[in-house]
Amino acid sequence: MKLAPILLRRLIQAVLVALVISTLAFFLMRSLPGDMAFRVAAGRYGPDMVSVAAAEAVRAELGLGRPMLEALGIWLGRLASFDLGVSFVNGGSVAAQLGHELGYTLRLACAAAVAAFIIAVPVGVAAGSRPGGLMDRGSLVVSVILRSVPPFLMGLVLIIVFSLQLQWLPSAGYENRGSDILPALTLGLGLAGPMSRIVREAVFQVRSQPFHLFARTKGLGARAVMLRHTLRNAAVPVVAYSGTQLALLIEGVVVVESLFSWPGIGHALVHAIFARDVPMIQGAILVMSLGYVALNALIDIAVRVIDPRVEEPA
Amino acid sequence: MITDDDFLPDLAERPWLTRQRQLGIAILVLVLLFAVVPIVTAPDPRVQDLTRVLQSPDALHLLGTDQLGRDVLARVSAGARLTCGLALLCVLTAACIGSAAGLAAAWCGGWVNRTLATVADMILAVPVLLIVLLLVAFAPGHLLPIYLALALSMWVEYFRLVRAHALRVLASPHVESARLLGFSPAYVTRWHLWPELAPYVGSVMVMGTATAVLALAAVGFVGTGLRPPTAELGLMMSESFAYWRDAPWLLLSPVAVLVAGVVGLALTTGLGEDRP
Amino acid sequence: MNALTVENLSIRHQDQILLEPVSFTVGAGQCIVVLGESGSGKSLLAQAILGLLPHGLAADGSVILKDQRFDAGDTALRRQRWGRELGLLPQEPWRALNPTMRIGDQVAEVHALVRGRPWAEARSTARAALADMGLADEYRSLPHRLSGGMAQRATLAAARAGGASILIADEPTKGLDIALRSRVVDDLKSVMVAGGTLFVITHDVQVARDLGGEVIVMRGGQLMERGPGDTLLTAPASAYTRELLAADPASWPTAAAPPAHGDMILAATDLAKTYDGKQLFAGLDLSLSRGDRVAFVGASGSGKSTLGDILIGVRKPDRGSVRRGGGLSALAFQKLHQDPGAAFAPSLSLARALNDAVRLHGRKWQDVRQWMRRLGLSESLLPRKPAALSSGELQRFALLRILLVRPALIFADEPTSRLDPINQRRALELLAEVAAEENIALLLVTHDPDVARAIAPLRLHLPLTAQ
């Protein structure tokens, strides 16, 4: 399969996802009690400045007075022109706010992914190389525990230990030095649990393949076999599985940002749901979902780079 | 690589009920008992007693009282009940819909397969928690959107699993033989397909239960799920975090039940049963 | 000079002896062939020589490479000889090549890392070695692009690249078409000409015959007979070896002339099928009558199974049509599969599977009983699941289940390729007998021309060339 059709599939997926999320957001807005025009006007101009005239202007602009389908068309049309609207709460542009928050979220997500990678790969390779050994059994127990502790609990434990008891690290915010260590570690440990088992399983599978034994009987040493034959083949399923891992990462971001008051998109989303700030809810979920699709497209590409078979079918 | 399969004593055969699974099932039974028994033994979880707040565990309140003087044991038990019920409901709904859709896609192929695959693809493109949050915004504090969102996002896993295995089995010689011998699709589905699918569906159901339990707790914890005074495990954790120095049992009780349940599920799935 | 000597090598699993003590010696430039069915212990012997026994199995005795003696139980020292003195030519070599590494690199890395040559030199040596094997253009190919025979030669080049003069070849012809068998034997012979020593395990009498050298016959972990190949394979001393030789399709009698034509049951006209851009056949006309015995012969991928599937209606042709003879329903056309274990639902007992078929078609259980007696099946097998039966038993049960619907045609798709030679002969003879008794047409698909010649008076060779 060529690369282009795969990317096209991801693109179609992205468009469909955007359509469905935006449609749901439209019905969410319609389901809210009260006059939407006044709500939007209050958001834009401040609660004291709302006049009937301002509300009517908003009503006309957003097509609020029109039949359902027509209004939906207008709503989706604005999305198609990449207009995410303005927040009901502070009247600011949703796109500008999300752009600002995305930077913080990416910083946290990258730190977490790096932490998970540094922990999971060596542990998984060591466990898979000696199945049933001390490392394998030990890391299994730890990974079952890590998998059973949801990110918000992991965060609570880390806050209690490192922030409240030991007072080594700040528990909230982002200004202080070291304030990103706890949130990144919370997310990273949660990811490292399942990831180390995926690496372990991949390494174990490769080591039970006939070609692994043949590489040994050719006379290659254990190190050469590991570097030249095991790792690359084991990387194929690990990279392919990391799509599911990304879902964990994104879900973790929402929870961990709220717990640590980290000023990212997840935090913003939870606040927007409290305030029923529909444009913000729509924007945050769209950015995270489309980001997820885009990262999965990157994974599709990475698999092809690692596994040359895909490019050269028989 | 060099093998004499018929000859080697079977060193790899293992029973399904390993010690690990026995432990997991035992933990789950305990958690279920904890969720059910206090209905008759413990006080009403809703009754407040502002004269007895943040009491340490004693004979009357086995796990102490909370910041409003309610019995912690009763509240945690009620929360466990709610979580178990919702998780089972979500998993059963998702498993039925997903399996039926997977079988339909595998048998029919063509546009049925393509349509279902496209829908599944789209749902997969959004992480579960985001679907939950989006639907929760419609009716904050209610259980229905959480249930709908979890069922909606979880059926996809059964669909993909059942479809992939059903396609493999449908292409196998035993199905070809059965069709040539005149057996109906219903017979083939019941006796050829389902026995091969059931173990996979079963283990995804166990894993899916853990997903649902954690999702409910997560939305409760960040405050977008059920509202106080409902006894819900995630909500109780975020409420009691403020008192953790004065009344650590208040935080530890729901945490212990939640973690025990998820560990029990993980052990029952056969996590780490990957052969050594 | 003796290259490989084995002294009193035995293998056990706890208290159970899996291989009785074996001793032999092979000189440089010579070969020894171990002949036996699966389960004979021949693979265990090879694993023990390499120091590769599965966990839980223990070996006693000694292995002597050139003049160095190794304790058979001590594997670590022998592993250091891998590649340099002792090489493995694995079975199904397409699975023994790293799927993500180019063929040339898999040979070159041995020159570079085992022999310590600079990479540039290692690459050019590898290129030359591949060219010697007729793989000059495949240096940059990935393994999945190679045919079975090419993969076999590439592994041979890689196995010898470290300088190994003693090669352990594990079923070198398994999974290869008959046509490639002689090529593999030639490649192995050229190893001996170059001074190498071969230890070959095989179930194929023809391979043993062509290689020459000493032959050991094994069965159930015991040495049955040994001796020079040319005498042992022409005048065997043990009854078992005689049976083994008689089971070689090359020695079967040729099928008798076709019986008188019965009613026409199937007529195909102008069939054409293309698969993966390759035309399998076109313009094919064929008609079958009751009692006919026809074989489709050809290499894998020649379309012989596809043609059979089209005739019984499991697949559709691209062009042309298949017409069933007067009054026959689709049920009259049945198939025996290659892997009999895969032809039964794994979760149903044999009794249940047969009973469901009996009820569906309004037969009596008495019919099952009669057929079981005729096919030599014991009633004690009925409560078992398919996995608990042998391939031979399952193939007979599959035949029985088909006979319950009173077919007009049985399409047998390589029905005995999973059976040992001795069982293969019995199974095919039984199938031909039953078909003759019941006046059923038999359509046999096989890659072995000898099997086809012995069973079917009419043979169609695919691809269709000189018709």
Side-chain angles (χ1 to χ4, degrees):
Chain A
M1 215 176 166
K2 290 264 176 283
L3 187 56
I6 291 182
L7 292 183
L8 184 68
R9 195 189 128 226
R10 290 287 179 201
L11 190 67
I12 293 171
Q13 200 182 25
V15 171
L16 284 176
V17 163
L19 270 179
V20 171
I21 290 175
S22 192
T23 307
L24 278 172
F26 171 78
F27 286 113
L28 175 59
M29 193 179 72
R30 289 260 165 165
S31 77
L32 293 184
D35 188 336
M36 190 49 53
F38 274 94
R39 207 185 244 267
V40 174
R44 282 192 194 172
Y45 313 115
D48 307 330
M49 305 289 286
V50 179
S51 61
V52 175
E56 286 312 316
V58 167
R59 198 185 306 281
E61 182 194 338
L62 296 182
L64 291 175
R66 307 195 188 191
M68 181 83 92
L69 272 182
E70 207 181 324
L72 177 62
I74 294 174
W75 176 270
L76 293 179
R78 291 165 66 92
L79 179 74
S81 58
F82 299 99
D83 179 3
L84 292 176
V86 293
S87 164
F88 286 173
V89 174
N90 56 26
S93 149
V94 169
Q97 284 177 63
L98 287 175
H100 179 71
E101 287 153 355
L102 184 62
Y104 285 100
T105 294
L106 285 179
R107 195 172 115 193
L108 176 60
C110 288
V114 168
F117 193 81
I118 290 174
I119 299 169
V121 171
V123 169
V125 170
S129 302
R130 283 191 168 277
L134 193 65
M135 190 61 163
D136 190 22
R137 283 175 293 153
S139 68
L140 171 64
V141 172
V142 174
S143 96
V144 168
I145 294 171
L146 285 180
R147 229 189 261 202
S148 306
V149 176
F152 59 89
L153 264 190
M154 173 75 66
L156 273 189
V157 171
L158 293 180
I159 289 177
I160 289 176
V161 173
F162 291 103
S163 181
L164 301 184
Q165 292 300 92
L166 298 173
Q167 305 211 325
W168 287 355
L169 294 164
S171 70
Y174 59 97
E175 296 93 349
N176 310 322
R177 212 159 57 84
S179 60
D180 44 5
I181 292 182
L182 282 187
L185 200 59
T186 303
L187 273 175
L189 282 176
L191 289 178
M195 193 173 171
S196 69
R197 294 316 286 179
I198 292 169
V199 174
R200 181 259 182 218
E201 194 53 31
V203 169
F204 172 74
Q205 286 299 338
V206 171
R207 289 174 64 93
S208 23
Q209 294 288 318
F211 73 79
H212 187 267
L213 176 66
F214 185 57
R216 293 297 311 277
T217 62
K218 284 197 294 191
L220 299 183
R223 205 179 118 85
V225 172
M226 172 65 79
L227 292 177
R228 296 180 60 79
H229 295 276
T230 314
L231 288 184
R232 180 166 185 170
N233 283 288
V236 177
V238 170
V239 172
Y241 264 116
S242 52
T244 349
Q245 299 281 294
L246 284 172
L248 287 182
L249 181 63
I250 290 177
E251 293 177 357
V253 158
V254 175
V255 172
V256 168
E257 284 184 356
S258 304
L259 177 64
F260 288 93
S261 308
W262 185 262
I265 291 186
H267 195 218
L269 172 61
V270 170
H271 271 269
I273 290 174
F274 282 138
R276 309 194 86 178
D277 183 352
V278 178
M280 198 65 194
I281 295 176
Q282 169 184 263
I285 290 186
L286 269 180
V287 168
M288 282 195 275
S289 302
L290 295 182
Y292 180 56
V293 175
L295 287 171
N296 270 309
L298 283 182
I299 288 173
D300 292 341
I301 296 172
V303 168
R304 308 172 74 81
V305 171
I306 298 171
D307 189 350
R309 276 171 295 180
V310 192
E311 289 290 335
E312 300 174 26
Chain B
M1 107 138 303
I2 312 183
T3 48
D4 251 1
D5 292 335
D6 303 354
F7 195 50
L8 279 180
D10 194 356
L11 304 171
E13 193 184 325
R14 284 172 155 213
W16 182 83
L17 197 62
T18 53
R19 271 177 52 202
Q20 196 188 312
R21 284 213 169 84
Q22 287 172 5
L23 182 64
I25 291 170
I27 294 176
L28 288 180
V29 169
L30 286 179
V31 170
L32 281 178
L33 282 178
F34 179 82
V36 175
V37 171
I39 299 177
V40 283
T41 60
D44 188 327
R46 288 164 298 185
V47 171
Q48 302 183 4
D49 181 356
L50 293 175
T51 62
R52 293 171 53 85
V53 299
L54 300 177
Q55 297 274 315
S56 299
D58 57 28
L60 184 60
H61 301 285
L62 290 176
L63 289 174
T65 60
D66 71 358
Q67 65 279 12
L68 296 174
R70 294 171 294 193
D71 183 65
V72 173
L73 175 70
R75 276 180 58 76
V76 174
S77 169
R81 215 150 49 229
L82 177 75
T83 299
C84 290
L86 180 87
L88 289 179
L89 194 62
C90 289
V91 164
L92 285 177
T93 313
C96 290
I97 296 176
S99 302
L103 285 173
W107 271 109
C108 304
W111 66 269
V112 176
N113 178 31
R114 277 196 302 276
T115 310
L116 286 168
T118 307
V119 173
D121 227 22
M122 207 170 63
I123 291 174
L124 269 188
V126 188
V128 177
L129 194 62
L130 294 187
I131 298 183
V132 175
L133 288 175
L134 183 57
L135 292 199
V136 154
F138 277 90
H142 289 275
L143 213 48
L144 184 68
I146 302 180
Y147 161 68
L148 284 180
L150 283 175
L152 177 73
S153 50
M154 291 194 330
W155 71 273
V156 177
E157 211 172 336
Y158 301 88
F159 166 74
R160 285 162 53 99
L161 182 92
V162 166
R163 186 180 65 148
H165 284 285
L167 282 175
R168 174 179 61 78
V169 179
L170 283 180
S172 72
H174 64 84
V175 171
E176 193 178 275
S177 292
R179 300 291 285 151
L180 278 171
L181 286 163
F183 286 104
S184 66
Y187 179 91
V188 170
T189 303
R190 174 64 191 87
W191 296 110
H192 290 254
L193 282 181
W194 187 246
E196 295 209 28
L197 299 176
Y200 296 103
V201 172
S203 69
V204 174
M205 283 175 78
V206 179
M207 278 191 281
T209 310
T211 309
V213 166
L214 291 178
L216 180 65
V219 287
F221 185 85
V222 298
T224 52
L226 299 177
R227 297 270 164 88
T230 314
E232 192 278 317
L233 295 176
L235 186 60
M236 287 164 72
M237 289 177 213
S238 67
E239 283 176 335
S240 55
F241 182 46
Y243 308 101
W244 82 273
R245 244 179 231 282
D246 306 315
W249 61 89
L250 201 54
L251 178 60
L252 287 179
S253 308
V255 167
V257 173
L258 183 76
V259 172
V262 180
V263 167
L265 290 168
L267 291 176
T268 309
T269 322
L271 208 65
E273 283 292 299
D274 18 44
R275 272 186 302 144
Chain C
M1 194 187 78
N2 289 336
L4 170 67
T5 303
V6 163
E7 283 182 9
N8 289 320
L9 183 66
S10 65
I11 299 165
R12 64 200 147 74
H13 170 58
Q14 289 156 356
D15 298 335
Q16 186 192 357
I17 303 285
L18 302 181
L19 179 70
E20 305 266 340
V22 178
S23 305
F24 61 82
T25 291
V26 210
Q30 293 183 317
C31 84
I32 187 159
V33 178
V34 181
L35 197 57
E37 301 175 359
S38 65
S40 63
K42 59 187 195 300
S43 292
L44 286 180
L45 179 57
Q47 286 171 308
I49 293 172
L50 280 164
L52 258 180
L53 282 177
H55 190 70
L57 304 192
D60 300 300
S62 319
V63 175
I64 302 162
L65 303 178
K66 298 216 172 84
D67 44 8
Q68 265 183 301
R69 178 180 287 269
F70 297 88
D71 188 357
D74 173 21
T75 56
L77 278 175
R78 243 168 310 148
R79 289 183 179 211
Q80 293 171 8
R81 306 289 157 184
W82 283 355
R84 294 162 181 85
E85 285 168 33
L86 191 57
L88 168 69
L89 192 59
Q91 60 171 262
E92 301 183 279
W94 42 96
R95 298 176 59 210
L97 293 166
N98 179 345
T100 59
M101 192 186 270
R102 300 191 188 274
I103 297 296
D105 293 334
Q106 302 199 39
V107 180
E109 67 174 359
V110 185
H111 291 290
L113 299 171
V114 178
R115 297 190 140 178
R117 307 268 167 76
W119 271 101
E121 189 193 325
R123 286 199 190 92
S124 60
T125 317
R127 204 175 288 278
L130 286 175
D132 278 350
M133 292 282 181
L135 299 172
D137 298 333
E138 305 298 335
Y139 188 96
R140 301 227 0 111
S141 293
L142 288 166
H144 71 283
R145 307 252 291 190
L146 301 190
S147 68
M150 288 156 96
Q152 175 74 270
R153 276 171 273 142
T155 41
L156 185 57
R160 299 181 67 203
S165 59
I166 304 165
L167 272 189
I168 312 286
D170 181 17
E171 296 271 16
T173 56
K174 184 179 173 185
L176 292 181
D177 289 317
I178 296 284
L180 284 168
R181 194 163 64 177
S182 59
R183 170 79 204 237
V184 171
V185 171
D186 288 345
D187 288 337
L188 290 176
K189 279 182 169 166
S190 71
V191 172
M192 289 192 278
V193 171
T197 306
L198 289 177
F199 176 94
V200 180
I201 57 184
T202 183
H203 67 271
D204 190 332
V205 176
Q206 199 58 45
V207 169
R209 205 166 260 152
D210 292 350
L211 276 173
E214 175 120 347
V215 173
I216 294 181
V217 180
M218 292 185 69
R219 183 195 199 185
Q222 283 180 315
L223 194 151
M224 303 303 292
E225 191 174 356
R226 65 189 296 172
D230 40 2
T231 54
L232 188 147
L233 295 173
T234 46
S238 77
Y240 175 72
T241 312
R242 272 197 295 278
E243 208 182 342
L244 200 63
L245 295 183
D248 182 15
S251 63
W252 297 0
T254 301
H261 274 292
D263 300 339
M264 198 271 285
I265 54 170
L266 178 150
T269 40
D270 194 28
L271 291 183
K273 184 77 182 175
T274 301
Y275 183 74
D276 236 5
K278 180 185 152 200
Q279 186 169 67
L280 298 175
F281 42 82
L284 187 105
D285 295 327
L286 191 89
S287 83
L288 290 172
S289 306
R290 281 200 178 266
D292 275 351
R293 292 210 304 275
V294 182
F296 295 165
V297 194
S300 61
S302 63
K304 54 191 191 302
S305 299
T306 310
L307 178 55
D309 280 345
I310 288 173
L311 292 178
I312 63 166
V314 170
R315 288 198 218 184
K316 296 265 165 287
D318 296 342
R319 208 179 59 231
S321 65
V322 179
R323 197 161 44 81
R324 291 198 290 261
L328 292 173
S329 79
L331 268 181
F333 297 85
Q334 293 291 334
K335 178 173 176 180
L336 270 183
H337 288 88
Q338 183 168 14
D339 180 358
F344 287 92
S347 63
L348 296 180
S349 69
L350 267 302
R352 176 69 203 272
L354 292 175
N355 193 36
D356 285 349
V358 165
R359 287 203 329 218
L360 185 68
H361 296 292
R363 297 284 183 275
K364 296 198 179 61
W365 186 249
Q366 196 53 36
D367 300 347
V368 174
R369 286 250 167 76
Q370 273 174 10
W371 278 119
M372 283 182 74
R373 270 194 298 278
R374 172 68 185 92
L375 300 177
L377 289 164
S378 152
E379 299 245 341
S380 65
L381 301 172
L382 282 172
R384 297 195 200 169
K385 300 265 173 73
L389 272 69
S390 75
S391 297
E393 289 161 348
L394 283 168
Q395 195 59 278
R396 276 175 283 158
F397 269 116
L399 177 59
L400 189 161
R401 189 172 57 165
I402 285 174
L403 291 169
L404 288 176
V405 301
R406 301 195 183 124
L409 171 82
I410 295 179
F411 163 36
D413 186 6
E414 303 258 14
T416 55
S417 63
R418 303 291 168 100
L419 303 186
D420 292 317
I422 294 173
N423 284 321
Q424 176 182 28
R425 179 166 187 180
R426 288 188 195 136
L428 283 172
E429 284 173 353
L430 185 64
L431 180 61
E433 281 169 31
V434 168
E437 287 164 21
E438 299 293 313
N439 202 20
I440 297 169
L442 180 64
L443 177 61
L444 178 74
V445 156
T446 178
H447 67 276
D448 189 336
D450 288 327
V451 167
R453 181 184 52 77
I455 297 297
L458 284 169
R459 295 180 289 279
L460 177 70
H461 289 266
L462 287 166
L464 304 165
T465 40
Q467 263 240 290

